[in-house]
Amino acid sequence: GAYIGNIRGMIRMALSSFATQGGPHFTPAAFAEALNTSLCQDILKEQFAMNLIFLDPLQDLVTYLSCGFDALLHLPQEAAKTRRLTAPNPMLGVDSTTKFVETKDNWNQGDVLILHSLAGKTEGAAYEAILMAALEENPLLSAQRQAEAILKKVSAIPSCNQLLFPKALISVQRIT
């Protein structure tokens, strides 16, 4: 509980620096750098993994930053193939001099974004291939139904129940 409370306070502090009058414009990379600096200076020396998705409907952009996690899946409405958006960075709290990288992509009406913890880096391409196939088999479903179809397909793999980390899947579909 103490670690979560600590990171929560650091997140609020980093976000408040962007909200102040005349403060810098929010970017995922600048936010990650501010949070990383706080974590590296903290006496607890904790490290955290983080995914950050910044949706900008006014500019039709999605910005993605990952610290210790894998790709964000992007299924554009007009495309038959799912794209992997990657922005690999070390975990937060490892090195105070880290310069974080982010990736940007178009984000149009009907596009679906999938963020998951079903296929970690050590599990390889097997889970990723199943996730991609499930997405591409159901391109016209709503975000919730796509998430359910993906979870159903992945749960059918016997080794899925043996994964020791928490399994989560978030699906976002832009409707307007």
Side-chain angles (χ1 to χ4, degrees):
Y3 296 122
I4 297 300
N6 192 33
I7 189 74
R8 183 175 181 252
M10 289 180 188
I11 289 170
R12 291 182 131 200
M13 182 179 67
L15 285 174
S16 70
S17 71
F18 293 100
T20 59
Q21 190 75 355
H25 178 69
F26 179 86
T27 66
F31 172 75
E33 287 173 13
L35 188 55
N36 186 57
T37 299
S38 295
L39 283 166
C40 288
Q41 293 171 351
D42 189 61
I43 60 170
L44 297 176
K45 299 297 181 199
E46 283 296 307
Q47 297 176 4
F48 289 91
M50 174 183 78
N51 274 324
L52 198 151
I53 303 170
F54 185 68
L55 304 173
D56 186 348
L58 296 177
Q59 295 186 44
D60 296 326
L61 286 175
V62 58
T63 305
Y64 177 62
L65 181 138
S66 175
C67 299
F69 285 116
D70 205 7
L72 173 71
L73 303 178
H74 181 196
L75 179 61
Q77 183 177 25
E78 73 281 349
K81 290 287 182 191
T82 303
R83 291 197 298 251
R84 297 178 83 245
L85 304 181
T86 59
N89 294 287
M91 289 178 56
L92 296 169
V94 172
D95 180 2
S96 63
T97 63
T98 300
K99 294 297 179 196
F100 291 87
V101 296
E102 57 192 30
T103 188
K104 295 178 185 261
D105 200 7
N106 293 327
W107 185 51
N108 299 308
Q109 289 184 13
D111 287 6
V112 175
L113 302 171
I114 302 284
L115 183 67
H116 65 87
S117 68
L118 301 172
K121 292 181 180 187
T122 59
E123 284 73 36
Y127 282 97
E128 186 82 11
I130 292 164
L131 289 167
M132 301 282 262
L135 254 177
E136 292 165 6
E137 287 170 8
N138 304 293
L140 300 178
L141 294 180
S142 68
Q144 179 177 342
R145 297 238 186 246
Q146 280 183 335
E148 290 167 356
I150 292 167
L151 289 172
K152 183 178 180 181
K153 192 164 191 126
V154 171
S155 328
I157 303 169
S159 62
C160 179
N161 296 326
Q162 296 172 354
L163 297 176
L164 299 177
F165 51 85
K167 298 169 225 40
L169 186 135
I170 299 170
S171 179
V172 177
Q173 183 177 32
R174 184 171 175 191
I175 55 175
T176 57

